[in-house]
Amino acid sequence: MSTSTISFNQLTKRYGKQLAVNNLNAEITPGAITGFLGPNGAGKSTALRCLLGLASPTSGTALIKGVAYSELEHPLHQVGAVLDSRGFHAGLTARQNLKVITAAAGIKDSRVDEVLELVELTDAAGKRTKGFSLGMKQRLSLAAALLGDPQILVLDEPANGLDPIGIAWLRGFLRKFADEGRTILVSSHQLAEMQHTVDDVIIINHGEMIVAGDIKSVVGDGTLEDAFLKLTLKNQASSNSSTGGGK
Amino acid sequence: MNLFKSEWRKLIYARSTYGLLLASIALASLSAGVTPYVLSHARRFMGVDGLSQSAIVDTVYGKAASAYLFAIILGVLLMAGEFRQGTAVATFLAAPKRSRVFLAKAAMAAVAGAAFQLISAGIAIVTAKIALGFYPEAAAPSDTAILDTILAALILVQCSRWLAWQLALYFAAR
Ligand SMILES: Nc1ncnc2c1ncn2[C@@H]1O[C@H](COP(=O)(O)OP(=O)(O)OP(=O)(O)O)[C@@H](O)[C@H]1O
Ligand SMILES: [Mg+2]
């Protein structure tokens, strides 16, 4: 078992009969941006939730520096996460929502205004999140992930709802973050965007990994979209024939 | 301790807390304030003679503990509100050991519930004194009436804590 930044070791998660993640094995390269791709329902969010201790694996492990998230000493200082299931208290302001988190994690309050500035939400810091647009909520999620100044970021569709300026900003931000030697695992459906952002890709379908490697070797001469469609469709056909033949 | 501070912030930042506190004070004061009037009429017209003068006065003070319902609602909001809001994810990311989160919440529900009851009952006792002032013939309360009221208020809060705990476990299990 590796102690590199993030590792999935035969991770399997079952919801009743539904196999959400099936024997996933992967190592995330430190100091790089890894894109985590797959069709809807492929199991990306489930794998990330297992990694963050929000869901418990049926078998296998998802580890951070060789240990389970729940065993990390100061988790927010090590890992920052943006998740689709994350919510904010609508009646609290952006700043208050973050101060609830700094208190819980033992982070100093001065960090709150720093991260709000980073994600360019300073003007809305004192506003209740009830009135926030999708993109503003997404920025606030990112701000929350950055509170502990972590070495690792785990982002589930962070570009959701961001405007073009926001997306360009995010791309630059992730690049800078990785160039500082930090590690990012980011899921997304925006393949054209990902092609120009990530160093490595992992593509999964039906909970199983179908390809992993650096972006050049996966994409070849075409686009990431071409490679994605070809790989997932091929995988679809082979899994259909195998289940069809098995029953 | 960090988690307790975080729960404290959730409590004092939320406007609903202050709405509930006002409602709690209003209900306790109202029931303590109108009881002398109701009881005096009951005695005159319906012949409620079973109660001694001092028992009536004690009843009035006892009404000051009657806003426990709001302490229960507060406890439920504190324990279960996060699952509805979706902020539970953020809390569990900061504190992945969930039993610690529940302990902090339970402690905060107990402390805040007790504070609610003490404030509401305290103000209601003053209201009761003023209301009884309109009835010069009223007897003095028994020595322990006010203390009993405050104790009753706090015991009711313990019940509220238990109820909130059960509800939170129910939601967490889902
Ligand atoms: N809490 C749950 N209970 C039951 N089934 C679940 C649960 N969460 C996920 N699943 C199932 O697990 C599978 C994988 O879902 P998951 O959300 O991980 O996919 P995803 O790759 O994140 O998809 P998307 O791109 O749409 O976000 C789906 O079939 C989904 O229905
Ligand atoms: Mg998802």
Side-chain angles (χ1 to χ4, degrees):
Chain A
M1 210 165 289
S2 159
T3 53
S4 78
T5 51
I6 297 174
S7 59
F8 297 98
N9 313 289
Q10 293 164 6
L11 178 70
T12 297
K13 177 66 182 181
R14 203 181 265 285
Y15 288 108
K17 276 190 189 152
Q18 176 75 41
L19 203 49
V21 179
N22 187 7
N23 196 29
L24 178 65
N25 281 296
E27 296 267 334
I28 308 305
T29 315
I33 306 176
T34 299
F36 194 32
L37 314 178
N40 291 130
K44 303 179 297 293
S45 299
T46 305
L48 298 183
R49 288 170 53 80
C50 288
L51 179 65
L52 297 166
L54 297 169
S56 46
T58 306
S59 64
T61 54
L63 303 177
I64 289 158
K65 293 182 186 160
V67 295
Y69 187 88
S70 59
E71 301 303 323
L72 288 176
E73 205 47 60
H74 294 287
L76 292 197
H77 289 95
Q78 315 217 38
V79 186
V82 170
L83 289 164
D84 51 359
S85 55
R86 175 176 218 154
F88 290 100
H89 192 306
L92 267 54
T93 65
R95 188 181 281 120
Q96 286 174 332
N97 266 293
L98 295 185
K99 283 178 80 173
V100 167
I101 301 172
T102 52
I107 296 167
K108 54 185 193 310
D109 286 339
S110 61
R111 234 351 237 168
V112 168
D113 283 336
E114 284 173 29
V115 296
L116 284 171
E117 170 114 51
L118 256 177
V119 303
E120 295 167 6
L121 267 186
T122 305
D123 291 344
K127 292 207 181 96
R128 289 177 210 290
T129 58
K130 194 188 313 190
F132 274 24
S133 69
L134 186 58
M136 288 164 84
K137 282 190 194 142
Q138 203 63 13
R139 283 166 189 259
L140 187 55
S141 295
L142 197 59
L146 297 173
L147 279 172
D149 198 17
Q151 287 297 317
I152 299 171
L153 277 182
V154 175
L155 311 172
D156 198 0
E157 300 187 38
N160 242 2
L162 289 186
D163 58 23
I165 302 171
I167 290 177
W169 171 84
L170 182 66
R171 187 195 312 134
F173 177 83
L174 296 184
R175 181 40 59 203
K176 196 164 144 263
F177 194 89
D179 285 348
E180 288 166 6
R182 307 201 235 194
T183 305
I184 300 168
L185 179 60
V186 52
S187 89
S188 177
H189 290 298
Q190 285 152 341
L191 299 179
E193 174 63 29
M194 290 302 265
Q195 183 169 3
H196 298 111
T197 309
V198 304
D199 304 304
D200 289 352
V201 282
I202 295 173
I203 302 180
I204 65 170
N205 198 8
H206 302 298
E208 288 178 47
M209 189 163 85
I210 51 180
V211 74
D214 69 88
I215 180 92
K216 282 209 187 69
S217 71
V218 171
V219 169
D221 295 332
T223 64
L224 180 57
E225 187 178 51
D226 293 337
F228 179 90
L229 290 175
K230 201 174 84 208
L231 288 163
T232 51
L233 288 177
K234 197 170 83 190
N235 173 261
Q236 204 93 19
S238 70
S239 77
N240 280 351
S241 66
S242 73
T243 51
K247 296 246 164 107
Chain B
M1 208 54 228
N2 285 343
L3 282 173
F4 196 73
K5 187 173 164 196
S6 178
E7 293 302 321
W8 171 248
R9 286 185 171 178
K10 284 172 198 163
L11 184 74
I12 61 167
Y13 289 161
R15 282 189 303 181
S16 55
T17 305
Y18 304 98
L20 272 179
L21 182 58
L22 278 181
S24 172
I25 292 170
L27 180 75
S29 295
L30 198 70
S31 48
V34 301
T35 304
Y37 179 78
V38 172
L39 286 182
S40 74
H41 278 257
R43 275 167 68 81
R44 241 171 260 157
F45 300 120
M46 290 181 260
V48 184
D49 286 329
L51 293 172
S52 69
Q53 266 288 339
S54 129
I56 288 175
V57 172
D58 286 358
T59 306
V60 171
Y61 282 107
K63 290 286 174 192
S66 58
Y68 60 90
L69 179 68
F70 290 94
I72 293 179
I73 295 174
L74 179 80
V76 172
L77 283 183
L78 276 175
M79 298 297 281
E82 280 215 278
F83 292 95
R84 201 172 50 93
Q85 296 273 357
T87 52
V89 168
T91 303
F92 290 142
L93 284 176
K97 300 219 167 69
R98 299 191 178 190
S99 55
R100 289 200 201 155
V101 175
F102 284 123
L103 271 179
K105 283 188 186 297
M108 184 47 79
V111 170
F116 257 52
Q117 277 291 67
L118 285 178
I119 294 169
S120 320
I123 293 174
I125 286 168
V126 174
T127 311
K129 266 214 166 78
I130 295 169
L132 284 168
F134 292 103
Y135 300 87
E137 73 278 12
S142 60
D143 295 342
T144 58
I146 289 175
L147 195 66
D148 285 349
T149 300
I150 289 173
L151 278 179
L154 291 178
I155 287 168
L156 286 165
V157 163
Q158 291 313 304
C159 300
S160 88
R161 184 173 76 152
W162 179 82
L163 196 76
W165 180 260
Q166 295 300 317
L167 267 162
L169 290 182
Y170 170 75
F171 278 106
R174 291 207 311 174

